[in-house]
Amino acid sequence: MMRKVAASMALGLSVVLLTGCGGSDSKSEDTKSSAPKASKKAPQDQGKDSAAKATGTDGTWKPINKSPIATLTITGSKVTTTGKLACPGVLKPGKKKSESVITLNCESKNPDRSRGTLELDEDGSRSYISWDGPAWGGMIDSLRRA
């Protein structure tokens, strides 16, 4: 019995909210027609879509693994890192379309992270840097857009 009453109240409230509370005088119709149309997506959803659809390497990236790099910022062919390994660098096209080569120009060289291949994930939200190293391979940083 209680559920039926609650369901009836919810249905009644939703009808009132959907139809609005007011008459059909010309003032309310004028106000409605002059009001800007709202987007179908909520503002927070639009931000998520634009971040997920971002393409290219430009932007600020944060490692998701333990790394001496706090942030990696790419603007065109310029690279800047912050954190324990804070230095400028350059970005050049790689062998594949989805790859770029990063060369850091640090005052004190870091043997684990001086030159590496950056690969961009398909949706553009993640990237991976495979740093040059010994024959078995070097360090790998996994990054997400900040």
Side-chain angles (χ1 to χ4, degrees):
M1 176 76 173
M2 206 54 179
R3 286 185 185 179
K4 287 183 181 179
V5 171
S8 296
M9 289 177 64
L11 180 62
L13 181 59
S14 64
V15 169
V16 170
L17 290 174
L18 289 174
T19 58
C21 300
S24 62
D25 64 345
S26 61
K27 272 188 179 178
S28 65
E29 287 179 20
D30 290 343
T31 305
K32 287 180 185 176
S33 63
S34 65
K37 301 250 183 209
S39 172
K40 290 182 181 180
K41 293 184 178 183
Q44 64 271 19
D45 291 343
Q46 291 173 347
K48 288 178 187 174
D49 286 348
S50 61
K53 291 180 182 177
T55 57
T57 55
D58 280 11
T60 301
W61 300 84
K62 285 190 169 193
I64 58 173
N65 60 306
K66 188 174 180 176
S67 173
I69 297 172
T71 62
L72 170 76
T73 302
I74 301 172
T75 308
S77 63
K78 294 182 180 182
V79 175
T80 307
T81 60
T82 63
K84 291 180 181 178
L85 185 60
C87 49
V90 294
L91 183 73
K92 295 182 180 179
K95 293 178 183 177
K96 297 178 185 175
K97 185 179 179 179
S98 63
E99 291 181 350
S100 299
V101 176
I102 291 181
T103 305
L104 296 179
N105 302 314
C106 304
E107 286 183 25
S108 55
K109 297 290 180 187
N110 181 316
D112 295 329
R113 289 176 175 86
S114 60
R115 184 177 184 278
T117 303
L118 180 137
E119 284 189 63
L120 191 61
D121 202 15
E122 286 181 19
D123 69 358
S125 65
R126 294 182 303 263
S127 63
Y128 312 92
I129 303 173
S130 299
W131 297 100
D132 292 353
W136 54 266
M139 304 300 289
I140 296 175
D141 283 322
S142 299
L143 306 111
R144 287 193 181 166
R145 288 194 187 270

